[in-house]
Coordinates of all heavy atoms in Angstrom, one line a residue:
R282 N -28.6 -16.1 3.5 CA -29.5 -15.8 2.3 C -29.0 -14.6 1.6 O -28.3 -13.7 2.1 CB -31.0 -15.4 2.9 CG -31.6 -16.6 3.6 CD -33.0 -16.2 4.1 NE -32.9 -15.0 5.1 CZ -33.9 -14.6 5.8 NH1 -35.1 -15.2 5.7 NH2 -33.8 -13.6 6.6
Q283 N -29.4 -14.6 0.3 CA -29.0 -13.5 -0.6 C -29.9 -12.3 -0.2 O -31.1 -12.4 -0.1 CB -29.3 -13.9 -2.1 CG -28.4 -15.0 -2.6 CD -27.0 -14.5 -2.8 OE1 -26.7 -13.3 -3.1 NE2 -26.0 -15.4 -2.6
Q284 N -29.2 -11.1 0.1 CA -29.9 -9.9 0.5 C -29.2 -8.8 -0.3 O -28.1 -8.8 -0.7 CB -29.7 -9.7 2.0 CG -30.3 -10.7 2.9 CD -31.9 -10.6 2.9 OE1 -32.3 -9.4 3.2 NE2 -32.6 -11.6 2.7
P285 N -30.0 -7.7 -0.5 CA -29.4 -6.6 -1.2 C -28.4 -5.8 -0.5 O -28.6 -5.6 0.8 CB -30.7 -5.7 -1.5 CG -31.7 -6.1 -0.5 CD -31.4 -7.5 -0.2
F286 N -27.4 -5.4 -1.1 CA -26.3 -4.6 -0.5 C -26.2 -3.4 -1.5 O -26.1 -3.5 -2.7 CB -25.0 -5.3 -0.4 CG -24.0 -4.6 0.4 CD1 -23.8 -4.8 1.7 CD2 -23.1 -3.7 -0.3 CE1 -22.8 -4.1 2.4 CE2 -22.1 -3.0 0.4 CZ -22.0 -3.2 1.8
Y287 N -26.0 -2.1 -0.9 CA -26.0 -0.9 -1.8 C -24.5 -0.3 -1.7 O -24.2 0.4 -0.7 CB -27.0 0.0 -1.2 CG -28.4 -0.5 -1.2 CD1 -28.9 -1.2 -0.1 CD2 -29.2 -0.3 -2.3 CE1 -30.2 -1.7 -0.1 CE2 -30.5 -0.8 -2.4 CZ -31.0 -1.6 -1.2 OH -32.3 -2.1 -1.3
P288 N -23.7 -0.6 -2.7 CA -22.3 -0.1 -2.7 C -22.2 1.4 -2.7 O -21.1 1.8 -2.2 CB -21.8 -0.6 -4.0 CG -22.7 -1.8 -4.3 CD -24.0 -1.4 -3.9
E291 N -28.5 3.7 -0.7 CA -29.8 3.1 -1.1 C -30.5 3.8 -2.3 O -31.5 3.2 -2.7 CB -30.7 3.0 0.1 CG -30.1 2.0 1.2 CD -31.1 1.7 2.3 OE1 -32.3 1.9 2.0 OE2 -30.7 1.1 3.3
P294 N -28.0 1.6 -7.4 CA -28.3 0.2 -7.7 C -27.7 -0.7 -6.6 O -26.7 -0.3 -6.0 CB -27.7 -0.1 -9.0 CG -27.7 1.3 -9.7 CD -27.5 2.3 -8.6
S295 N -28.3 -1.8 -6.3 CA -27.8 -2.8 -5.3 C -27.3 -4.0 -6.0 O -27.4 -4.2 -7.2 CB -29.0 -3.2 -4.4 OG -30.0 -3.9 -5.1
V296 N -26.5 -4.7 -5.2 CA -26.1 -6.1 -5.6 C -26.5 -7.1 -4.5 O -26.8 -6.7 -3.4 CB -24.5 -6.1 -5.7 CG1 -24.0 -5.2 -6.8 CG2 -23.9 -5.8 -4.3
M297 N -26.7 -8.3 -4.9 CA -27.1 -9.4 -4.0 C -25.9 -10.0 -3.4 O -24.9 -10.4 -4.2 CB -28.0 -10.3 -4.7 CG -29.3 -9.8 -5.3 SD -30.3 -8.9 -4.1 CE -30.9 -10.4 -3.2
V298 N -25.8 -10.1 -2.1 CA -24.7 -10.7 -1.5 C -25.2 -11.7 -0.4 O -26.3 -11.6 0.2 CB -23.9 -9.7 -0.8 CG1 -23.3 -8.7 -1.8 CG2 -24.6 -9.0 0.3
P299 N -24.5 -12.9 -0.2 CA -24.8 -13.8 0.9 C -24.7 -13.1 2.2 O -23.7 -12.5 2.5 CB -23.8 -15.0 0.7 CG -22.7 -14.3 0.0 CD -23.2 -13.3 -0.9
T300 N -25.8 -13.2 3.0 CA -25.8 -12.4 4.3 C -26.1 -13.3 5.4 O -27.0 -14.2 5.4 CB -26.9 -11.3 4.1 OG1 -26.7 -10.5 3.0 CG2 -27.0 -10.5 5.4
Q371 N -27.1 -8.3 11.0 CA -27.1 -8.8 9.6 C -25.9 -8.3 8.9 O -25.6 -7.1 8.7 CB -28.4 -8.2 8.9 CG -28.4 -8.5 7.4 CD -29.6 -7.9 6.8 OE1 -30.7 -7.9 7.3 NE2 -29.5 -7.3 5.5
P373 N -22.8 -9.1 5.8 CA -22.5 -9.9 4.6 C -21.3 -10.8 4.8 O -20.4 -10.5 5.6 CB -22.1 -8.8 3.6 CG -21.7 -7.6 4.4 CD -22.5 -7.7 5.6
V456 N -26.0 -4.3 8.1 CA -24.9 -3.8 7.3 C -25.3 -4.0 5.8 O -25.1 -5.1 5.2 CB -23.5 -4.6 7.6 CG1 -22.4 -4.0 6.8 CG2 -23.2 -4.4 9.1
R457 N -25.8 -3.0 5.2 CA -26.4 -3.0 3.9 C -25.7 -2.0 3.0 O -26.1 -1.8 1.8 CB -27.9 -2.9 3.9 CG -28.6 -3.9 4.8 CD -30.0 -4.1 4.4 NE -30.7 -2.8 4.4 CZ -32.0 -2.7 3.8 NH1 -32.6 -3.7 3.4 NH2 -32.6 -1.5 3.9
G458 N -24.7 -1.3 3.5 CA -24.0 -0.3 2.7 C -22.5 -0.3 3.1 O -22.1 -1.0 3.9

Side-chain angles (χ1 to χ4, degrees):
R282 298 179 299 190
Q283 294 289 327
Q284 294 286 308
F286 188 94
Y287 301 88
E291 296 193 11
S295 65
V296 295
M297 300 301 289
V298 299
T300 303
Q371 173 180 320
V456 182
R457 306 202 303 172

